[in-house]
Amino acid sequence: MAVGLLRAVIMGPPGSGKGTISTRILKHFALKHLSSGDLLRDNMQKRTEVGVIAKSYIDQGQLIPDDIMTRLMLSELKTLNRYHWLLDGFPRTVPQAEALDKACEIGTVIDLDLPFETIKQRLTARWIHPASGRVYNLEFNPPKVPGTDDITGEPLVQRDDDKPETVVKRLKAYETQTKPVLDYYRKKGVLESFSGTETNMIWPPVHAFLQTKLPEASQKEAATQR
Ligand code: AMP
């Protein structure tokens, strides 16, 4: 195993701002970002063997079996051996975390910890006008009159996916699936939780924490040539 290279995982429920935080990390630090979802979509698009299998699970809203997922990620990680890296979307289960541990030692797990209510509010904020497809967000671009389309005055609706009961189900599923993984890393002493209600509150401590582990992007070349 390479010594001194960052081996990190980022975890956070849907709506936690994980995508935004990951983008900011990549902008500031020289490291490779490996997202299991992106890797699967890439395989599906290229119709690889794994891609074809993955599609059948994803279409049914199910997780890919651990052995397939682990093999895919570990073989991709081999190509990143010389770099600092951050995993996103993997591991999702304890067997995946255990398999990852056999290949390398995870030094840091960044856990984005937002109140359940905040996330629910964010995820249920989207309303649409079905006839035109106009999209409103109660937080960022609310309609002028609550519940009605600005142009036609017709009622707005929520997609099934965005309805509170569906959102709560998705969040609960994340919790049951992921809590054991968080507990696993907490026991190992590598879990770093960052709490807050807004991405702009959470980002500065994440940034400060990573500065203690990594050179800033201005030193990108030095970092990747190690
Ligand atoms: P994501 O973009 O991370 O939400 O991933 C999209 C879908 O890919 C998920 O809903 C799962 O079906 C599958 N997937 C992604 N990562 C994993 C993983 N670590 N284990 C099992 N399935 C996964």
Side-chain angles (χ1 to χ4, degrees), residues 164-185:
E165 55 274 24
T166 316
V167 165
V168 166
K169 239 189 241 166
R170 273 163 67 200
L171 290 177
K172 292 256 189 243
Y174 174 85
E175 228 174 58
T176 26
Q177 227 174 63
T178 317
K179 232 175 158 258
V181 181
L182 290 177
D183 289 341
Y184 177 88
Y185 285 126

Side-chain angles (χ1 to χ4, degrees), residues 36-38 40-41 57-58 61-64 66 69 89-92 96:
S36 56
D38 287 351
L40 289 169
R41 282 184 283 276
Y57 288 95
I58 290 180
Q62 283 176 9
L63 288 184
I64 313 303
D66 287 334
M69 202 61 226
F90 179 92
R92 278 248 225 309
Q96 289 180 12

Side-chain angles (χ1 to χ4, degrees), residues 2-223:
V3 176
L5 290 169
L6 184 81
R7 265 69 187 109
V9 176
I10 186 163
M11 299 183 70
S16 64
K18 182 159 65 84
T20 311
I21 297 274
S22 298
T23 306
R24 290 189 191 176
I25 292 175
L26 291 183
K27 210 173 121 200
H28 285 263
F29 299 101
L31 83 179
K32 301 280 180 186
H33 176 242
L34 182 60
S35 147
S36 56
D38 287 351
L39 186 60
L40 289 169
R41 282 184 283 276
D42 188 48
N43 272 274
M44 279 161 35
Q45 204 188 356
K46 290 182 180 145
R47 297 204 170 77
T48 64
E49 205 184 326
V50 169
V52 172
I53 299 170
K55 189 172 183 319
S56 63
Y57 288 95
I58 290 180
D59 283 351
Q60 294 174 53
Q62 283 176 9
L63 288 184
I64 313 303
D66 287 334
D67 56 334
I68 299 175
M69 202 61 226
T70 302
R71 223 176 306 133
L72 178 69
M73 291 299 282
L74 292 187
S75 89
E76 195 67 22
L77 278 180
K78 269 194 195 142
T79 69
L80 304 180
N81 207 19
R82 294 167 47 231
Y83 304 98
H84 298 293
W85 51 243
L86 174 69
L87 297 181
D88 187 345
F90 179 92
R92 278 248 225 309
T93 65
V94 172
Q96 289 180 12
E98 285 168 347
L100 179 61
D101 256 355
K102 287 199 185 110
C104 66
E105 198 179 328
I106 296 299
T108 300
V109 176
I110 296 172
D111 164 39
L112 305 181
D113 180 28
L114 286 86
F116 195 85
E117 273 310 307
T118 306
I119 294 181
K120 190 178 136 195
Q121 223 171 354
R122 279 192 197 178
L123 291 175
T124 53
R126 184 165 60 166
W127 288 77
I128 53 169
H129 176 238
S132 67
R134 270 186 287 281
V135 179
Y136 297 87
N137 185 294
L138 302 189
E139 288 177 55
F140 311 120
N141 63 326
K144 289 187 186 115
V145 179
T148 57
D149 180 46
D150 285 352
I151 312 237
T152 63
E154 286 167 356
L156 300 176
V157 300
Q158 279 189 305
R159 294 204 180 118
D160 285 344
D161 243 28
D162 298 335
K163 289 188 175 152
E165 55 274 24
T166 316
V167 165
V168 166
K169 239 189 241 166
R170 273 163 67 200
L171 290 177
K172 292 256 189 243
Y174 174 85
E175 228 174 58
T176 26
Q177 227 174 63
T178 317
K179 232 175 158 258
V181 181
L182 290 177
D183 289 341
Y184 177 88
Y185 285 126
R186 189 176 292 116
K187 274 193 204 117
K188 286 189 175 280
V190 294
L191 190 73
E192 297 288 335
S193 291
F194 296 90
S195 308
T197 50
E198 282 165 39
T199 302
N200 285 340
M201 269 165 70
I202 293 177
W203 166 243
V206 171
H207 185 203
F209 171 74
L210 283 175
Q211 276 175 324
T212 67
K213 306 255 166 201
L214 280 173
E216 288 264 355
S218 56
Q219 294 166 35
K220 211 169 200 158
E221 267 182 29

